[in-house]
Amino acid sequence: MYSVPQHLFTQVCVIVDKLGKLSREEIEKELISTGLSSEAVQGIIEVLSLKSLSKLEEVLGSGVEAVADLKKLFSLAEQYGYADWICFDASVVRGLAYYTGIVFEAFDREGELRAICGGGRYDRLLSTFGTEDVPACGFGFGDAVIVELLKEKGLLPDLPRQIDDIVFPLDEELEGPASSVASSLRKKGRSVDLVEDKRLKWVFKHAERINASRLILVGKSEWERGMVRVKILSTREEFEVKAGELQ
C-alpha cells in the first residue's frame, strides 16, 4: 500500500517488531530515518497496530491472500475449540529470511514475560539444506520463560538428581575401560555418571553434591588384575570387585 522498496522491507519489519516495546514517537523516528514518507510511516503504524482481523480486512480488502489465510486459520481454530487461546496481532514479526506464511508467538496470559515460543509457516526452507522443499510449520521455545512461569504458579517440581554410581578413571589411558564399566552398569539399570579429566578431590565433592551411592575407581594396577575399586559413599566402606561381576 505504501510502496516500501524491497531493499527496506526487512529493516522496516524489524522496526515494526518494536511496537509495544518502544513508544510510538520512537518507532516513527526510526521509520522516517529509513527514508519513508511521513504518510507511509503513519499508515504502516496504524495498520500494523491493529488487533482485529475484521479491521485489517477493511483496510486491505477481502481479496488479499494474507487476509484469506488468517480468516481460514481463525475459522479452523474455532472449529477445533481453541479460538479463545489465540488473538490477532498484525505487528508480530519473526525471521523473515525463511517464513512464507502466518507467524505466531505465545505468551503468558498476564503478558508479563517475553515470548514463550514463536514460529510460523515456511515452504522453502528445506531446499537451503540440499533437499526438496516440503511445506512445513515449526516453532522454537525458551526453557527459561517456562521455568519462570512454573515457579510463579508453584508448579516447578523438585527433581533432585539421583545418580547410583560415579565411574572415574585414575589415568587418561583408562578412559576406555572406564567407559566400558559405565556402559555395563547402565545396561543393568544403574544410573551412572562417567567423570573424566578431573582431580580425585573434585570427584569426591561432586559425589557428595549429587548424593551418589557409589564411587567406582578404575586404577591401573586393579584393572591389570581385572578389578575395580568400589567405595560406598554412605558408609565409606571400600573394596575391590571383579569388573565383570560389578552389579
Side-chain angles (χ1 to χ4, degrees):
M1 285 178 65
Y2 296 102
S3 302
V4 175
Q6 189 62 37
H7 72 278
L8 287 179
F9 180 72
T10 299
Q11 186 179 353
V12 169
C13 286
V14 168
I15 296 170
V16 166
D17 192 38
K18 298 176 184 178
L19 284 169
K21 304 180 185 81
L22 299 178
S23 68
R24 179 170 177 138
E25 291 73 21
E26 290 173 298
I27 298 292
E28 289 177 358
K29 187 176 180 180
E30 286 196 29
L31 286 172
I32 288 173
S33 71
T34 67
L36 295 181
S37 67
S38 179
E39 179 189 6
V41 168
Q42 295 300 323
I44 288 169
I45 291 176
E46 289 294 335
V47 173
L48 297 185
S49 295
L50 293 175
K51 306 296 182 185
S52 166
L53 184 52
S54 60
K55 289 184 179 179
L56 181 72
E57 186 175 11
E58 289 176 12
V59 176
L60 300 181
S62 57
V64 176
E65 184 181 4
V67 173
D69 284 350
L70 285 162
K71 288 177 71 176
K72 183 175 182 180
L73 174 71
F74 277 80
S75 174
L76 288 170
E78 185 73 42
Q79 294 172 57
Y80 274 110
Y82 58 78
D84 289 345
W85 292 82
I86 63 174
C87 60
F88 174 70
D89 183 349
S91 70
V92 173
V93 176
R94 296 201 59 77
L96 296 164
Y98 56 83
Y99 287 116
T100 57
I102 295 170
V103 293
F104 56 86
E105 292 179 338
F107 292 87
D108 61 294
R109 282 193 180 275
E110 302 299 325
E112 295 177 350
L113 302 172
R114 64 181 187 274
I116 296 170
C117 74
R121 173 70 176 261
Y122 40 85
D123 291 349
R124 295 186 289 274
L125 178 62
L126 296 183
S127 61
T128 63
F129 298 105
T131 185
E132 293 184 9
D133 281 322
V134 176
C137 179
F139 66 91
F141 63 90
D143 60 328
V145 181
I146 293 173
V147 168
E148 287 305 310
L149 273 173
L150 290 172
K151 284 180 180 177
E152 185 180 302
K153 302 293 183 183
L155 297 173
L156 190 65
D158 181 19
L159 299 173
R161 189 178 181 191
Q162 181 55 53
I163 295 293
D164 295 321
D165 303 318
I166 292 178
V167 177
F168 179 62
L170 294 175
D171 294 296
E172 185 177 347
E173 63 189 45
L174 293 168
E175 288 180 359
S179 297
S180 176
V181 170
S183 179
S184 175
L185 287 168
R186 287 168 180 154
K187 288 177 182 177
K188 295 173 182 176
R190 305 283 292 180
S191 175
V192 181
D193 191 1
L194 177 61
V195 178
E196 299 171 342
D197 301 321
K198 296 290 185 182
R199 293 181 181 276
L200 188 57
K201 185 178 180 181
W202 184 94
V203 176
F204 276 114
K205 288 184 177 179
H206 176 63
E208 291 180 4
R209 191 163 54 245
I210 64 174
N211 197 30
S213 301
R214 300 188 302 185
L215 173 60
I216 298 166
L217 301 173
V218 182
K220 186 175 181 179
S221 62
E222 289 89 352
W223 189 254
E224 287 174 348
R225 294 183 284 109
M227 310 287 281
V228 293
R229 180 162 292 278
V230 178
K231 187 177 184 71
I232 307 299
L233 295 168
S234 59
T235 63
R236 303 294 179 180
E237 181 186 1
E238 194 170 327
F239 51 88
E240 289 186 0
V241 177
K242 287 183 178 180
E245 296 177 2
L246 194 58
Q247 296 294 324

